[in-house]
Amino acid sequence: MKSYRKELWFNTPTRRAFINITPQVEQAVKESGVKEGLCLVNAMHITASVFINDDEPGLHQDFERWLEELAPEKPYSRYNHNLTGEDNGDAHLKRQIMGREVVVAITDGKLDFGPWEQIFYGEFDGKRPKRVLIKIIGE
Ligand code: ZN
């Protein structure tokens, strides 16, 4: 069995962002040489997500508004977590909703997506270097 590990780094200029990382994951699959297997992609931080959905700007605006309704960034005093001196209580909750990781099947050397599926990095507390882990196993 082959095994391949790679980290992607991000430093978004804004606190929140959605980034399509499908090309980077496809590149990692190529580098791995795996033709049949599984590809795990996970955020390595507890205020960021990796998820699969459509690459459609209106949908991303809907995510942003929905997440702000559920867990607004401000007032910071709303969150017990921020009593520690942090200001990212909202980001932890947003990450929990949007998820930590995705697993995609690799078939014939390619990510075996359903229609319109793309992989996104969801940043909820950016403006600092953060990582995504890609782990690929198979033959
Ligand atoms: Zn925190």
Side-chain angles (χ1 to χ4, degrees):
M1 189 194 74
K2 286 180 191 161
S3 170
Y4 183 79
R5 182 187 190 278
K6 185 176 191 177
E7 290 178 4
L8 305 178
W9 285 82
F10 301 92
N11 191 345
T12 62
T14 51
R15 180 176 169 107
R16 286 188 292 280
F18 295 125
I19 300 169
N20 187 337
I21 60 171
T22 310
Q24 291 98 310
V25 179
E26 285 172 337
Q27 179 62 32
V29 171
K30 254 185 222 160
E31 291 162 7
S32 75
V34 169
K35 299 292 177 201
E36 297 294 326
L38 293 173
C39 177
L40 166 77
V41 188
N42 70 266
M44 297 181 81
H45 302 263
I46 51 180
T47 53
S49 290
V50 171
F51 62 95
I52 289 180
N53 216 303
D54 194 3
D55 194 1
E56 196 279 300
L59 177 63
H60 296 180
Q61 289 166 11
D62 292 339
F63 280 144
E64 163 67 15
R65 193 176 61 220
W66 179 61
L67 290 168
E68 273 302 289
E69 285 165 3
L70 287 171
E73 177 187 341
K74 293 171 185 168
Y76 295 125
S77 61
R78 172 188 174 107
Y79 300 100
N80 289 341
H81 178 64
N82 291 343
L83 296 174
T84 62
E86 293 196 66
D87 68 359
N88 64 4
D90 68 307
H92 288 274
L93 299 183
K94 286 166 176 145
R95 178 265 169 86
Q96 203 63 31
I97 289 165
M98 296 303 282
R100 172 182 182 264
E101 77 274 308
V102 300
V103 178
V104 183
I106 299 169
T107 304
D108 201 16
K110 293 200 168 123
L111 294 169
D112 203 340
F113 285 130
W116 303 106
E117 285 192 328
Q118 296 280 288
I119 306 172
F120 292 89
Y121 175 66
E123 178 60 83
F124 306 115
D125 184 25
K127 303 185 195 175
R128 56 197 173 99
K130 291 167 82 168
R131 288 178 292 164
V132 163
L133 174 67
I134 302 174
K135 183 84 178 193
I136 296 165
I137 57 170
E139 302 287 339

